[in-house]
Amino acid sequence: MTTPDDLHLATLLSAAFGDAGGTVTPPIYQTSLYTFDTYQAFEDRLNGRTSDPLYSRIQNPTVSAFESVMAKAERGEAAVGFASGMAAISSTLLAFLKPGDRIAVTEHVYSDAYRLFEQLLRPFGIDITYHAVSALENDPSLLKGVKIAYLETANSLMLQPANLPKIAANAKAHGTITITDNSWASPVFQQPLTHGIDIVLHSASKYISGHSDTVAGVVVASDALIGTIRQLTLPLLGAKLAPFEAWLLVRGLRTLDARMRQHQATAELFIDRLATRPEVIRLHSPGANSVPGLAGRSGLLSIELAENVDIPRLADALKLFRLGVSWGGFESLILPIRAGLGRAGDDNAAWRFDVPHNLVRLSLGLENADDLWTDFEAALNAGKA
Ligand SMILES: *Cc1c(COP(=O)(O)O)cnc(C)c1O
């Protein structure tokens, strides 16, 4: 007999939820609190003998619907939603860290995660060290005395993937908790918990939503680890996911598998054609099996262009790609790194990690792939000095 857990992800994401009334989408429980019929029922809930919803900072049925499917999608025991990816990151770290602890972080970590580490956590007495992905993979002694290893795979801008089974094994030897940001691959192409990683988190604003209409985050792990977050940082920092946002994320999850496969097909067309262009010096887009457990590539890739390409002119010549931060939506975007380099300083991750100034990041959307290539090729030609 097949249990729901045996189903392919696309089936699982399509079949989940609905409610007792036979609806195919979950109702939006737009309520702050839940009342109780009897004194006894109220007392039982307040004393933890029952677990019915009490107050929406802690628990909401629409949010729970999203969380339960995310837990299944990432093959974890439990999940907790947050108001943003940054809320997911900060609430996860603060649930486990205390002054004097050390975090080992992958290089090219997301820019605001970097600022969280340097501007908020370091002043509270947390030590942070940054390491090349290959060092985290190959030097187990790096994690000695480290409380948390914080990874992104692929990491931001340079899109370097990480060998998760290897790093997880290194971490286990030292009792280090491993956290991986899986926003880039999504559970369609990578399920870090199945490779020994302890906690997986997402900026759900990206592929999980897929529609560029929501800012949200989610964390998936064991019951025990999620329990700690639910007990400490979810209620006490209070950055909870709102019911309407959770409903939008459920809507996004329905098409996640199909969207990721379309993003991948377009990325592959771009990679084939970019390979023929002399303006392209280097391409960053890890594909299936480039590291163990990675089953595909998403639509977010980076390109280093030759010095003689006029990047502002290229960007302005694009008609289908729009200039913008963020990624993972239906629409194609370009982010030229040099546009954000005006603000030099220690808080700018692009400077800190020495990102090449001629790098442009593309988020390939769901438009027709040939239309997108025609647009990009014309802009490459326009950008030639
Ligand atoms: C966007 C992003 C975040 C932050 O998520 P928000 O939802 O914007 O708070 C975290 N990690 C990565 C890799 C991201 O790209």
Side-chain angles (χ1 to χ4, degrees), residues 84-87 89 110 152 156 181 183 203-206 215-217 327:
S84 67
M86 283 311 302
I89 295 168
Y110 177 65
E152 285 175 2
S156 294
D181 185 324
S183 306
S203 166
S205 324
K206 313 291 168 51
V215 173
W327 48 275

Side-chain angles (χ1 to χ4, degrees), residues 317-322 331-333 367-368 371-372 375:
L318 288 164
K319 293 187 168 66
L320 298 178
F321 288 80
R322 285 173 268 186
E331 77 289 18
S332 290
L333 298 167
E367 305 91 335
N368 176 276
D371 287 350
L372 286 178
D375 189 38

Side-chain angles (χ1 to χ4, degrees), residues 70 74 85 88-89 92-93 104 106 109 136 148-155 160-165 167-168 171 177-187 190-203 218-221 294:
M70 275 308 301
E74 284 287 8
I89 295 168
T92 300
L93 289 171
T106 179
V109 69
L136 288 167
I148 290 178
Y150 187 88
L151 314 165
E152 285 175 2
T153 178
N155 59 12
Q160 300 161 320
N163 184 326
L164 293 179
I167 297 176
I177 300 171
T178 43
I179 302 178
T180 292
D181 185 324
N182 197 30
S183 306
W184 178 84
S186 92
Q190 178 171 267
Q191 295 164 342
L193 301 181
T194 66
H195 303 295
I197 295 297
D198 295 311
I199 300 176
V200 58
L201 53 81
H202 286 268
S203 166
V218 63
V219 184
V220 187
L294 183 60

Side-chain angles (χ1 to χ4, degrees), residues 250-267:
V250 167
R251 186 276 318 261
L253 284 175
R254 302 295 190 189
T255 57
L256 180 66
D257 193 272
R259 284 188 283 110
M260 294 310 291
R261 290 175 202 289
Q262 180 62 33
H263 288 303
Q264 170 166 254
T266 300

Side-chain angles (χ1 to χ4, degrees), residues 77-78 80 92 95-96 177-178 193 197-199 219-231:
E77 290 174 353
V80 51
T92 300
F96 300 102
I177 300 171
T178 43
L193 301 181
I197 295 297
D198 295 311
I199 300 176
V219 184
V220 187
S222 65
D223 281 326
L225 292 170
I226 295 297
T228 301
I229 297 170
R230 280 199 180 280
Q231 198 185 339

